Amino acid sequence: MSDEELAEFLARGEEGYRRQLVDFAGMGEEEATAKAARDYPGLFPGGRPLPEHFVFVVEEVSGHAVGHVFYAVRPPGSRKAWLYDIEIAEESRGRGYGREAMRLFEEEAADRGITTVGLHVFGGNEPARSLY
């Protein structure tokens, strides 16, 4: 992921997290904004992923970016991964990109020796719930 793509990912990621806190966790705008501003940057100190955090761009065959996957080995050095985020751009959904991204994530994690994957999906997020 290029520096430009990473900066865009970080901005979208924090906003997406804030939006989910409002839409699915029942937080007010102000509380969700404050929580997202506290939580999200901690995953990317100095705007960079930590050593065992991995962010990948999901691309069409043509190379056009349609989404991203973000996961981390947690705790560091273990054989466990936490899938923080997988997102496909709204205009590209329904074409199998999410399912293929999950398959490739699982393959990538297995190649790293990961044997267990954890994730969290907010209750109202039906597209994510159906994917997992």
Side-chain angles (χ1 to χ4, degrees):
M1 177 174 276
S2 72
D3 288 345
E4 182 179 314
E5 289 170 323
L6 181 60
E8 291 172 9
F9 163 78
L10 292 173
R12 277 192 324 271
E14 186 173 324
E15 172 54 23
Y17 178 50
R18 184 204 63 76
R19 191 176 56 251
Q20 289 185 63
L21 291 171
V22 171
D23 293 348
F24 304 127
M27 285 188 185
E29 292 284 343
E30 191 173 305
E31 181 184 11
T33 298
K35 181 168 178 47
R38 275 191 319 270
D39 293 354
Y40 212 79
L43 298 171
F44 298 90
R48 308 296 308 164
L50 294 168
E52 291 192 328
H53 286 193
F54 305 94
V55 182
F56 298 97
V57 175
V58 177
E59 297 179 337
E60 294 179 321
V61 174
S62 68
H64 174 73
V66 296
H68 66 267
V69 175
F70 166 39
Y71 80 94
V73 176
R74 276 189 48 195
S78 74
R79 295 172 57 94
K80 299 176 183 178
W82 185 261
L83 180 60
Y84 279 98
D85 196 18
I86 179 170
E87 184 172 7
I88 303 301
E90 193 167 335
E91 66 274 8
S92 297
R93 293 179 187 163
R95 299 183 196 167
Y97 294 120
R99 212 160 288 292
E100 181 66 5
M102 276 298 292
R103 187 189 69 73
L104 291 171
F105 155 67
E106 291 169 353
E107 188 177 289
E108 159 83 15
D111 288 348
R112 291 185 183 278
I114 301 299
T115 58
T116 304
V117 174
L119 56 91
H120 172 268
V121 178
F122 287 104
N125 190 343
E126 289 309 317
R129 293 176 69 81
S130 68
L131 176 65
Y132 306 129

